[in-house]
Amino acid sequence: MEIIPGPDFPTGGIIRGKENLKECLETGGGGVQVCSKYEIVESKTCNSLIITEIPFGVVKKNLVFSIDKIRVDKEIDGIIEVRDESGRNGLRIVIDIRKEAKLDAVISYLMKKTKLVVNYNYNMISICDKKPIKLGILPIIDFYVKHEVEVINRRTKFDLAKALARHHILEGMVKAISNIDELIRLVRTSHSKEEIKQRVCETFYLDMDQAEAIVTIQLHRLNSVDVQQLIDEVEDLKKKEAEYESIIDNERKIKSIICSELEEINKKYKTPRLSQIKEETKEYVIDNQPTIKEDVMVSITRDGYFKRSSIKSFDSSEIEYPTLKQGDIIFGIGKFVTDQTILCFTNRGNFIQASVYQLFENKWKEEGKHISTITNLKGDEKIIKVFDVKDYSKDAYIVCATKSNLIKRISLSEFKLDKFNRAVCYQKLKDDEDEVIGVDICDGDSFICLVSSNGKAIQYHESQVPVIGLRSAGVKAMKLDDKTTVEGMIAMNKDEKENIAVFTRQGGVKAFNPYTIQLMNRTNKPYELYKYYRTEPHDTLTMIKTHDDYKYYGLVNGTIINVEFENKHSPAGKNMRNTLIDGTGSFDAITSTPIQVIDDSFKTYQVSEKEIQVSVEEEIENTKTIFDYLNDIGNDEN
């Protein structure tokens, strides 16, 4: 590699991976990384990334366009402007970056997402012995030398044959011109060219090729000077013939000729090396953290349309929520910092951990983009719960319930992902008709409230729900018949004082204080929250925690309406009335905008020493065998 260090591209660039390059040269296959050459210039207003060399084969115009598209689409924050300042002095692309932006993160993103870095694959196929073979650099050189030896041999033989033919013609011409008087007499007494040629051959003992050359000779060449030139040319040809004969099949001389010819080419076409070679390849990793930390407003819709807007855009807008597509409803609005993550749950049992800074940025009045643009989430999934989790290490649990009457708890730490924006299953569903109807957070001493489609409700301590893995199905949530489904689930922590409101599709609402309801076992028969009549049914839509400061929105026949109701608890068992909408419509969804935050203010339940002791005693009691009981009885009798 000291003689042939690697390829030298006409556009320069930096070739990374000396070991990979060595493998390519040895085997004829493999790949190398070619990076653009750049420098960073700092100024008072910004940092400028100046690109002076790009990989071979990359079209500069397309490269500048792709970088500017990243700026326009705000795929990454911090890029102010992209300019092409190329001219007589060479290539120059300038990217201005904000001072407060993470320069390394911006560079890594551009290198990863554009053709500032290109991987070239080696596939050195050569036609050797009339068949294609993949060869390394040394076998290629061997075959090249072998080919050059053959070429020089053939070339020399050709030159020798040409010299011999010329020598032969010149000998005839010298012989004829030396007897010029006889030659003139033959020409004057002959009647045609063919007769002259025949008589010349007979008189001077020459062949027809020599006779042809003599007949076509011009008169001015018959002087003594031209005759001497012919004699000198014959002598020169004799020397060349001897040299050619000494070269043919002489490997030493042929290789010497090859070397001299290559040196001549090197002198004639020598140019300075443009591409630099670096030892190691460089892996450009896109950091999940933003280049600039700033406060933004995030909006989330039920159909999965996310976006972030600047605080300035939000404050200057006079609307409560951004533009939505027909049939969609706002699901959550919250203030975030761009380095935060959002934990989102869908009705199809999947969750994603999305980076705020990777969300589509737009003005507050305008529509967002579907989350499927940055993740593998399906387009028909609905968002049912969103958390702002700042601390995944808390001893808390995510509880979820399905329409088919299954419930389970999962440790919050299991939702911390190494790879963002990847949909992961958290709940197995029974069939295509089944879905997750509720997701909430438990602090270790919470109680869970569920409501069925026909107005039956139950409330029990979270300890009755086992803590299991992400993909497990769970246990039965409440006692129901086969035709009834679960439609709502909420977890209430002991420091929460809110009421719970149950909404029906027909426009009914019932608010109640969960602390006034007796806790039961999960397998107990649920109590009647409101009267359910088949002739005038009120089918439960959902249940929501209420707060005087919250705003509630309802989706009725594809139109969003503000939902206002009296947040005052009413006794159970009463008839449900249509108080929110008239009889011509029905609710498709009810949402409230606040996004629950899990941070230091979220206190998890700490088990006391007395409870630990009771738990240990219960565990010992549960593990006793019949023999242990017999021993205890015997000890009591003694």
Side-chain angles (χ1 to χ4, degrees):
M1 292 185 68
E2 293 180 2
I3 300 173
I4 305 178
D8 185 21
F9 296 105
T11 56
I14 299 171
I15 302 170
R16 293 191 177 273
K18 204 165 186 178
E19 286 300 318
N20 293 345
L21 191 57
K22 183 179 179 182
E23 180 186 356
C24 294
L25 294 177
E26 288 177 350
T27 64
V32 293
Q33 185 187 62
V34 181
C35 308
S36 299
K37 189 176 181 181
Y38 64 87
E39 59 180 335
I40 298 168
V41 177
E42 297 182 2
S43 65
K44 292 182 179 180
T45 57
C46 66
N47 294 322
S48 296
L49 178 67
I50 302 175
I51 300 164
T52 55
E53 294 178 7
I54 60 176
F56 178 69
V58 175
V59 180
K60 182 190 66 174
K61 179 179 70 174
N62 296 341
L63 177 62
V64 174
F65 176 80
S66 64
I67 297 173
D68 197 49
K69 188 174 185 298
I70 290 174
R71 179 190 66 83
V72 173
D73 294 344
K74 296 183 179 178
E75 294 181 26
I76 188 169
D77 296 322
I79 301 177
I80 302 171
E81 186 183 10
V82 182
R83 301 187 303 278
D84 181 8
E85 297 181 354
S86 304
R88 292 182 178 180
N89 296 325
L91 184 138
R92 181 183 169 92
I93 300 171
V94 181
I95 304 169
D96 291 335
I97 301 169
R98 289 166 63 178
K99 272 282 188 182
E100 59 270 27
K102 294 180 183 177
L103 192 58
D104 291 341
V106 175
I107 293 173
S108 294
Y109 191 91
L110 294 176
M111 293 292 178
K112 188 78 173 179
K113 292 294 185 180
T114 68
K115 289 190 175 181
L116 288 172
V117 176
V118 175
N119 291 321
Y120 286 104
N121 293 322
Y122 267 74
N123 190 20
M124 299 197 295
I125 300 294
S126 304
I127 304 299
C128 303
D129 297 331
K130 300 181 180 179
K131 57 184 178 182
I133 306 174
K134 183 186 285 188
L135 299 174
I137 192 67
L138 292 179
I140 285 178
I141 293 173
D142 291 338
F143 275 103
Y144 173 78
V145 171
K146 181 181 177 182
H147 171 72
E148 281 294 297
V149 168
E150 185 178 355
V151 167
I152 292 173
N153 254 325
R154 290 185 176 184
R155 184 182 70 191
T156 306
K157 288 178 181 179
F158 174 81
D159 291 341
L160 177 60
K162 191 176 179 181
L164 289 172
R166 178 64 176 169
H167 186 183
H168 179 64
I169 296 297
L170 291 178
E171 284 183 338
M173 292 177 67
V174 170
K175 190 174 183 179
I177 295 173
S178 298
N179 297 279
I180 188 65
D181 294 335
E182 181 63 20
L183 179 61
I184 293 171
R185 188 186 67 79
L186 289 175
V187 171
R188 295 184 65 182
T189 57
S190 300
H191 297 85
S192 66
K193 181 180 178 181
E194 291 300 323
E195 184 180 351
I196 296 172
K197 288 166 62 177
Q198 187 65 33
R199 294 179 67 183
V200 166
C201 291
E202 292 174 353
T203 304
F204 300 107
Y205 304 102
L206 304 175
D207 57 27
M208 292 300 291
D209 293 333
Q210 291 172 316
E212 177 69 25
I214 292 168
V215 169
T216 57
I217 197 170
Q218 295 176 338
L219 288 176
H220 71 84
R221 297 195 60 187
L222 298 179
N223 59 62
S224 59
V225 176
D226 282 340
V227 172
Q228 187 59 43
Q229 286 179 351
L230 293 176
I231 295 172
D232 293 341
E233 187 177 351
V234 169
E235 294 300 320
D236 185 52
L237 286 173
K238 287 180 180 180
K239 293 178 182 178
K240 287 184 178 180
E241 289 166 9
E243 183 182 351
Y244 294 150
E245 287 174 350
S246 67
I247 292 173
I248 294 172
D249 297 329
N250 188 326
E251 188 174 345
R252 185 180 61 80
K253 280 195 172 184
I254 291 175
K255 288 184 177 179
S256 176
I257 293 171
I258 294 173
C259 291
S260 61
E261 289 179 352
L262 290 176
E263 287 175 357
E264 187 64 29
I265 292 172
N266 185 44
K267 289 179 182 179
K268 188 174 181 181
Y269 301 104
K270 186 176 182 179
T271 56
R273 184 175 182 84
L274 299 176
S275 299
Q276 299 178 18
I277 297 177
K278 300 288 185 180
E279 286 289 338
E280 299 295 332
T281 58
K282 189 171 182 179
E283 186 65 28
Y284 292 97
V285 179
I286 297 177
D287 193 357
N288 287 320
Q289 297 299 319
T291 56
I292 299 174
K293 290 185 181 181
E294 59 182 343
D295 292 334
V296 293
M297 292 299 297
V298 173
S299 69
I300 303 159
T301 74
R302 185 183 68 152
D303 288 349
Y305 285 83
F306 286 61
K307 78 163 185 177
R308 61 185 171 99
S309 300
S310 64
I311 299 297
K312 182 180 179 181
S313 175
F314 176 77
D315 291 339
S316 62
S317 177
E318 298 179 354
I319 60 175
E320 296 178 357
Y321 51 82
T323 302
L324 305 174
K325 75 179 185 68
Q326 183 67 26
D328 200 3
I329 186 171
I330 194 71
F331 193 85
I333 295 173
K335 185 177 180 180
F336 289 81
V337 182
T338 48
D339 65 344
Q340 290 180 233
T341 59
I342 302 176
L343 188 61
C344 307
F345 295 85
T346 76
N347 65 328
R348 300 305 302 167
N350 295 313
F351 79 93
I352 58 170
Q353 189 180 355
S355 300
V356 172
Y357 90 97
Q358 288 184 320
L359 300 179
F360 173 67
E361 185 176 6
N362 206 349
K363 294 180 180 178
W364 183 252
K365 293 182 179 181
E366 299 177 3
E367 188 177 309
K369 281 189 178 181
H370 197 268
I371 193 66
S372 61
T373 57
I374 62 171
T375 185
N376 57 337
L377 204 64
K378 294 181 181 177
D380 60 346
E381 298 191 46
K382 307 293 184 184
I383 304 295
I384 60 171
K385 190 68 177 182
V386 178
F387 292 106
D388 175 8
V389 184
K390 294 182 173 66
D391 186 1
Y392 283 89
S393 64
K394 284 193 169 294
D395 191 14
Y397 305 94
I398 296 292
V399 60
C400 58
T402 68
K403 195 183 214 51
S404 61
N405 197 20
L406 291 175
I407 191 169
K408 71 174 183 178
R409 284 189 300 159
I410 310 164
S411 177
L412 178 63
S413 60
E414 291 201 38
F415 294 91
K416 178 66 174 176
L417 300 178
D418 294 329
K419 293 184 178 179
F420 288 4
N421 307 337
R422 181 171 62 91
V424 178
C425 176
Y426 71 91
Q427 174 64 56
K428 276 188 175 182
L429 299 178
K430 183 179 179 181
D431 50 38
D432 292 340
E433 300 298 323
D434 193 15
E435 62 179 342
V436 179
I437 51 86
V439 176
D440 216 333
I441 185 80
C442 297
D443 64 0
D445 193 29
S446 304
F447 56 86
I448 298 168
C449 187
L450 298 107
V451 64
S452 68
S453 57
N454 60 356
K456 298 292 192 298
I458 191 172
Q459 188 169 263
Y460 47 78
H461 194 270
E462 68 168 279
S463 60
Q464 296 194 35
V465 180
V467 178
I468 52 182
L470 288 173
R471 293 183 175 273
S472 301
V475 297
K476 185 178 289 187
M478 59 191 297
K479 192 173 182 179
L480 296 174
D481 58 55
D482 295 339
K483 295 182 180 179
T484 308
T485 58
V486 180
E487 295 297 337
M489 186 276 294
I490 280 179
M492 294 294 293
N493 302 331
K494 288 189 175 180
D495 58 349
E496 291 183 294
K497 304 302 180 184
E498 289 89 355
N499 287 339
I500 294 177
V502 174
F503 296 88
T504 66
R505 295 185 182 276
Q506 290 76 17
V509 60
K510 179 180 282 293
F512 64 93
N513 186 343
Y515 296 98
T516 62
I517 299 174
Q518 182 181 358
L519 292 176
M520 296 186 289
N521 289 325
R522 183 166 47 84
T523 55
N524 288 149
K525 183 179 180 180
Y527 64 90
E528 189 177 61
L529 187 62
Y530 62 85
K531 294 287 185 182
Y532 184 86
Y533 299 103
R534 294 186 181 276
T535 56
E536 192 179 348
H538 268 267
D539 301 311
T540 302
L541 174 65
T542 187
M543 64 193 309
I544 297 176
K545 295 176 187 177
T546 65
H547 195 282
D548 293 337
D549 295 334
Y550 290 178
K551 291 183 179 181
Y552 300 90
Y553 302 99
L555 190 64
V556 182
N557 299 333
T559 303
I560 299 178
I561 63 170
N562 289 320
V563 177
E564 296 180 359
F565 60 94
E566 187 178 1
N567 186 15
K568 190 174 182 181
H569 63 85
S570 58
K574 296 288 185 178
N575 292 345
M576 184 71 77
R577 298 184 181 280
N578 300 359
T579 60
L580 301 179
I581 55 176
D582 57 32
T584 60
S586 64
F587 278 120
D588 295 321
I590 298 284
T591 63
S592 60
T593 56
I595 297 173
Q596 187 169 356
V597 180
I598 303 174
D599 56 8
D600 292 337
S601 63
F602 183 84
K603 305 299 182 183
T604 55
Y605 177 66
Q606 301 296 324
V607 181
S608 65
E609 292 184 6
K610 183 177 179 181
E611 289 173 313
I612 294 173
Q613 182 63 31
V614 171
S615 176
V616 171
E617 290 175 358
E618 287 178 351
E619 184 177 354
I620 293 173
E621 188 71 20
N622 292 333
T623 57
K624 281 185 176 181
T625 66
I626 186 64
F627 300 103
D628 295 320
Y629 285 108
L630 291 174
N631 290 333
D632 292 340
I633 293 171
N635 292 331
D636 292 339
E637 290 177 353
N638 293 332

